Amino acid sequence: MFIVIFRATTRELDAEYSVTAARMRELAMQEFGCLDFHSVCEGREEISLSYWPDEASIRAWKNHPEHLLAQQRGRERWYESYSVEIAQVSRQYQVTGK
């Protein structure tokens, strides 16, 4: 399993941003095999974590025309700066309550 870590410093976020972000999550989950997707904002800082079965799925999602357009809008309108990290998860465990 792989994780994509997206960190950004945002500019002014508008209604189109919310619609686009929801659509990108939907696209990732329904069409490209994304296993899980979490995003949080605190002030102007945003971090999104998405989990993927393999790197090929990440590349396919990154290069999808709709996602390419969202990336362009992000650079032009919504993000002051951002970084992307991709890592392989080498171990995972979970504890649940009774």
Side-chain angles (χ1 to χ4, degrees), residues 2-10 13 17 20-22 24-25 28 34 36-42 44-52 61 67 79 82-87:
F2 289 81
I3 183 171
V4 175
I5 306 164
F6 176 83
R7 298 173 195 228
T9 301
T10 61
L13 300 180
Y17 171 81
T20 301
M24 291 303 99
R25 180 184 304 227
C34 180
D36 207 357
F37 199 116
H38 302 279
S39 188
V40 294
C41 294
E42 185 174 306
R44 294 181 52 221
E45 301 301 314
E46 175 183 336
I47 186 165
S48 296
L49 307 173
S50 56
Y51 297 84
W52 299 83
W61 178 66
H67 191 204
Y79 297 120
Y82 67 88
S83 67
V84 177
E85 299 168 73
I86 300 171

Side-chain angles (χ1 to χ4, degrees), residues 10 17 26-27 33 36-37 39 43 55 57 60 74 77-78 86 92 94:
T10 61
Y17 171 81
E26 175 187 5
L27 185 66
D36 207 357
F37 199 116
S39 188
E55 288 183 280
S57 299
R77 295 171 56 186
W78 300 314
I86 300 171
Q92 174 187 13
Q94 180 175 348

